[in-house]
Amino acid sequence: MEIIVVKNYKELSKLSAEVIAEVIKNKPDAVLGLATGSTPIGCYENLIEMYRNGELSFEQVRTVNLDEYVGLDKNHPQSYAYFMRDKLFNKIDIKPENTHIPNGCAEDLVDSCDRYNHVLSVLHRDVQLLGLGSNGHIGFNEPGTPFCALTHITDLAESTIKDNARLFNNVDEVPTQALTMGVKDILRADKIIILASGKNKAEAVKAMVKGPITNQCPASALQEHENCIVILDEDATSLL
Ligand code: F6R
């Protein structure tokens, strides 16, 4: 793991966007693995700015997202499909048909996972962007998930439901299940960038970089990846 500490969220966002932009400049049809949540929003804003300045084109880029809530239609404002259109896809020149997000509203969710695994087997990721859950999750691989998991249906941990309740009217509206890429899928990307910002991530950061490699902290699996960049702001390093 290469650990880079920056001063604040603004710098973390800028640096992560620069790393992704570099991948796209070297390979215009790169496959990007993308994340939702609060952390990557600044990174996406920087990428949008580079597009608007004419520095970067997403015309040939393909994307695969990490996860989606079960039961939220792609037009639901809290769905990750909606998030990606709102925060990135609608603001750049990416082709909608080149973007992929698990379908959490399919009648047969097991089939939906199988289809997503097929997409992942065809689209080899040049880079995977990750946020870090306060409980150490990556994607929605909650503590205890075996590292050999591929895309699967998962029950969200109580702590994740509480963390994500801020985006819903109340905690009861937060879906209790999601479809997520597995840890094994995540590790298949050529390069991984994981971002963590804020003191509420400090404990998970410590377990990820200093702790044993254990599925009690899914992010600790990244210690075994050959090309993983960890970008942290100072607050997130407060327990290191
Ligand atoms: C999102 C995802 C999650 C988040 C994590 C951190 O697609 O897979 O693992 O990255 O829950 O979320 P934020 O950034 O909101 O703190």
Side-chain angles (χ1 to χ4, degrees):
M1 282 176 147
E2 181 191 356
I3 299 174
I4 303 175
V5 181
V6 294
K7 209 168 171 41
N8 51 33
Y9 180 72
K10 194 174 170 199
E11 287 185 14
L12 170 146
S13 301
K14 187 163 178 282
L15 179 61
S16 54
E18 282 167 1
V19 177
I20 293 174
E22 196 57 32
V23 172
I24 300 171
K25 283 175 187 165
N26 287 332
K27 189 178 173 197
D29 63 345
V31 178
L32 312 180
L34 297 178
T36 58
S38 303
T39 314
I41 292 176
C43 170
Y44 296 155
E45 285 170 354
N46 278 271
L47 289 172
I48 291 164
E49 200 175 322
M50 289 180 205
Y51 161 69
R52 286 187 178 150
N53 291 341
E55 281 171 59
L56 201 59
S57 169
F58 295 80
E59 213 183 343
Q60 299 177 60
V61 165
R62 281 88 37 91
T63 66
V64 280
N65 260 77
L66 282 168
D67 40 24
E68 179 60 284
Y69 287 120
V70 166
L72 298 194
D73 176 79
K74 65 177 196 288
N75 293 319
H76 188 291
Q78 301 310 334
S79 73
Y80 287 163
Y82 185 99
F83 175 102
M84 289 309 302
R85 295 197 305 277
D86 186 44
K87 302 286 184 241
L88 183 65
F89 297 155
N90 285 353
K91 298 172 176 167
I92 54 175
D93 60 343
I94 197 160
K95 296 192 174 102
E97 63 271 28
N98 285 346
T99 67
H100 304 272
I101 299 181
N103 179 2
C105 255
E107 270 186 32
D108 183 342
L109 292 173
V110 174
D111 178 61
S112 190
C113 291
D114 289 347
R115 283 169 188 268
Y116 208 65
N117 281 322
H118 177 70
V119 170
L120 294 179
S121 69
V122 176
L123 294 179
H124 181 80
R125 276 154 295 149
D126 296 283
V127 62
Q128 174 68 57
L129 180 65
L130 297 173
L132 177 66
S134 62
N135 65 357
H137 74 210
I138 46 175
F140 276 134
N141 292 275
E142 301 287 22
T145 310
F147 287 166
C148 61
L150 299 178
T151 304
H152 61 283
I153 309 165
T154 183
D155 292 329
L156 299 181
E158 275 303 314
S159 60
T160 301
I161 292 173
K162 275 195 202 132
D163 283 350
N164 291 2
R166 68 186 193 280
L167 303 166
F168 291 80
N169 292 324
N170 63 66
V171 73
D172 298 330
E173 283 185 13
V174 185
T176 56
Q177 289 190 310
L179 303 189
T180 181
M181 273 190 210
V183 174
K184 188 168 178 179
D185 294 312
I186 290 172
L187 292 176
R188 279 193 182 129
D190 285 349
K191 181 196 276 289
I192 295 178
I193 308 167
I194 183 160
L195 310 177
S197 166
K199 284 208 163 70
N200 63 324
K201 299 293 172 71
E203 210 162 305
V205 165
K206 186 177 169 198
M208 166 174 71
V209 304
K210 289 250 161 81
I213 300 177
T214 160
N215 65 13
Q216 291 313 307
C217 175
S220 66
L222 302 174
Q223 289 179 29
E224 292 197 318
H225 194 276
E226 282 179 1
N227 190 4
C228 177
I229 306 174
V230 183
I231 306 179
L232 307 170
D233 68 8
E234 283 177 2
D235 284 346
T237 64
S238 54
L239 294 178
L240 288 186

